[in-house]
């Protein structure tokens, strides 16, 4: 069993990623409840840059293979925003509810449909090797929040081809189609390939 730190303290994301990687010979640790974790400043201008910053900072602190990820919502009518600012859209320590209210306020000036996508970049770093992957899911932002599953903007996000928001889908269903599932399934394959090549 190999250990990887998932460089996140976000409960919703940790649960989803734990679920996606669960079947493999990988034990996933996270930053939840780790007081010694260094502060990560997401100073990148792309999701991939931020994912790599997270992986590198946490690797340097613990010297254990790390997966960093960065994700967010990109809305067409907002020029791709809130993008890398998704978590802090309504302010530095904004709650999901505050971010959702801010999003609805910004979109009130535009006609529907509010086409949008969730994007996730994931990066693995073990001190030598970098592996990266990215996933996207298309959909639109609706006017009224629906559902209690998931986190973040899920109550407002209707994936293309679905009548339920990602907060109304079960975790199993969301994990079949989500940006995070696409990125992490791809990254998982790359990691397992890398490990098997190194064992030869
Ligand atoms: P991160 O923790 O820096 O990756 O920020 C991710 C932010 O983007 C979250 O706080 C949410 O606001 C938003 N986000 C990313 N993925 C999702 C998702 O699957 N559902 C809902 N919101 C998401």
């Amino acid at each position: 069993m190999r250990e990887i730190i998932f460089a996140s303290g976000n409960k919703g994301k940790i649960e989803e990623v734990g679920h996606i990687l669960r079947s493999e010979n990988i034990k996933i640790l996270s930053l939840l409840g780790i007081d010694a974790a260094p502060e990560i400043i997401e100073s990148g201008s792309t999701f991939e840059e931020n994912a790599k910053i997270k992986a590198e900072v946490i690797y340097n602190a613990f010297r254990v293979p790390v997966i960093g990820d960065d994700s967010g919502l990109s809305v067409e009518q907002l020029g791709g925003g809130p993008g890398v600012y998704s978590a802090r859209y309504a302010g530095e320590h904004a709650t999901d509810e505050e971010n959702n209210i801010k999003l609805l306020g910004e979109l009130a000036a535009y006609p529907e449909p509010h086409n949008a996508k969730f994007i996730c970049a994931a990066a693995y770093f073990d001190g030598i090797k970098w592996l990266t992957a990215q996933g996207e899911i298309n959909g639109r932002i609706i006017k009224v929040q629906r559902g209690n599953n998931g986190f973040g903007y899920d109550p407002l996000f209707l994936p293309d081809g679905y009548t339920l928001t990602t907060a109304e889908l079960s975790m199993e269903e969301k994990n079949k189609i989500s940006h995070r599932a696409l990125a992490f399934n791809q990254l998982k394959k790359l990691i397992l390939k890398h490990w098997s090549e190194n064992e030869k």
Side-chain angles (χ1 to χ4, degrees):
M1 177 80 78
R2 300 229 202 179
E3 287 187 342
I4 294 183
I5 299 176
F6 176 45
S8 174
N10 177 325
K11 234 178 154 183
K13 290 203 321 195
I14 293 166
E15 238 179 285
E16 284 186 12
V17 168
H19 211 256
I20 294 163
L21 300 178
R22 192 173 55 175
S23 59
E24 299 303 326
N25 225 7
I26 304 172
K27 182 171 179 198
I28 300 290
L29 311 172
S30 76
L31 302 182
L32 206 61
I34 310 239
D35 294 334
E39 195 194 352
I40 301 171
I41 298 169
E42 296 181 28
S43 53
S45 56
T46 65
F47 293 111
E48 185 176 316
E49 271 174 39
N50 280 335
K52 287 178 124 177
I53 290 170
K54 290 180 196 177
E56 193 163 24
V57 169
I58 298 306
Y59 176 81
N60 287 335
F62 298 105
R63 304 272 156 186
V64 171
V66 180
I67 294 177
D69 88 324
D70 195 40
S71 56
L73 179 73
S74 170
V75 183
E76 219 171 82
Q77 290 165 331
L78 301 178
V84 291
Y85 301 103
S86 292
R88 43 195 152 135
Y89 192 33
E92 201 49 48
H93 300 289
T95 62
D96 288 344
E97 183 61 18
E98 287 164 349
N99 286 332
N100 282 330
I101 288 168
K102 161 108 176 159
L103 179 64
L104 289 177
E106 295 290 329
L107 287 178
Y110 298 92
E112 290 192 276
H114 306 307
N115 295 330
K117 59 185 168 185
F118 279 132
I119 302 172
C120 175
Y124 166 92
F125 184 54
D126 60 14
I128 300 169
K129 185 78 177 170
W130 279 105
L131 299 167
T132 57
Q134 182 150 320
E136 294 185 5
I137 174 176
N138 290 303
R140 59 197 162 88
I141 300 301
I142 57 169
K143 279 185 163 168
V144 179
Q145 301 190 42
R146 284 175 12 204
N148 299 307
N149 303 329
F151 65 98
Y153 300 96
D154 279 332
L156 290 173
F157 187 80
L158 199 61
D160 284 349
Y162 284 74
T163 54
L164 298 178
T165 68
T166 38
E168 291 174 308
L169 294 175
S170 66
M171 192 194 293
E172 282 80 8
E173 287 166 322
K174 184 181 170 189
N175 275 348
K176 280 184 204 154
I177 58 168
S178 83
H179 51 313
R180 192 162 297 100
L182 291 169
F184 276 85
N185 278 318
Q186 201 187 328
L187 189 68
K188 180 170 77 175
K189 279 190 199 143
L190 296 174
I191 293 170
L192 293 174
K193 184 165 169 272
H194 170 60
W195 284 351
S196 75
E197 280 169 2
N198 271 38
E199 271 162 11
K200 279 177 199 158

